[in-house]
Amino acid sequence: MPVIGGDVTELTFNHPTQGTGVLFVKSDEDSELDTGGYRSADEEKSVDTSGEMIDVMTLSRWGCTFVVAGDLTTRQDLEKLVALAGDPVQAVWTITHISGSIYRGKGKPVGDVKQALKAATIALKIGGGGKAEQVG
């Protein structure tokens, strides 16, 4: 079976007070997904005098990046994302890839949330605790 790359076809959120929503990911833009979990540090000098590796492990949060459409008139995507970023309660995010794979994680927009007015897009980064799990 071939490896399938391509677009994210659906990005949704479900928040207990901010409600639910769908964000429209821009086609032909690269999105990234880090499912989180433990990582080993990439340190070439992390060895002891016997030559054994000193494995420095840390826990990394899950996260993803997208370029989404930013509708300022009817959907008010920027306002929704700013509200989600400012809320201490995290939303459940569901990410559907063109291959049919579906990932889900609890998180919120992190970093700057800004609208590119000419391109009508928002560079969105979502981060959360724990791991993003494959659910489909």
Side-chain angles (χ1 to χ4, degrees):
M1 188 163 152
V3 175
I4 300 173
D7 290 337
V8 169
T9 57
E10 187 173 70
L11 176 62
T12 63
F13 63 85
N14 184 356
H15 189 277
T17 60
Q18 302 289 339
T20 61
V22 176
L23 297 169
F24 298 97
V25 179
K26 187 171 184 279
S27 178
D28 201 28
E29 293 282 338
D30 202 14
S31 299
E32 293 183 335
L33 172 65
D34 179 346
T35 58
Y38 284 98
R39 304 288 192 267
S40 292
D42 183 14
E43 298 177 16
E44 292 179 17
K45 296 180 181 177
S46 282
V47 294
D48 64 22
T49 54
S50 74
E52 289 294 318
M53 177 180 173
I54 300 171
D55 192 6
V56 179
M57 295 181 68
T58 56
L59 184 60
S60 177
R61 72 179 185 197
W62 79 271
C64 50
T65 59
F66 308 96
V67 176
V68 298
D71 184 351
L72 293 171
T73 57
T74 57
R75 290 195 320 262
Q76 298 181 322
D77 298 313
L78 180 63
E79 288 78 5
K80 290 177 190 174
L81 291 170
V82 168
L84 289 167
D87 197 311
V89 177
Q90 297 178 16
V92 174
W93 294 84
T94 303
I95 305 150
T96 305
H97 186 256
I98 198 166
S99 66
S101 294
I102 301 170
Y103 285 84
R104 187 170 291 139
K106 195 171 185 181
K108 64 190 289 183
V110 295
D112 292 333
V113 181
K114 298 187 271 188
Q115 170 90 34
L117 297 174
K118 184 175 182 177
T121 58
I122 300 168
L124 174 61
K125 183 175 185 180
I126 300 167
K131 292 178 74 175
E133 302 287 342
Q134 188 170 11
V135 295

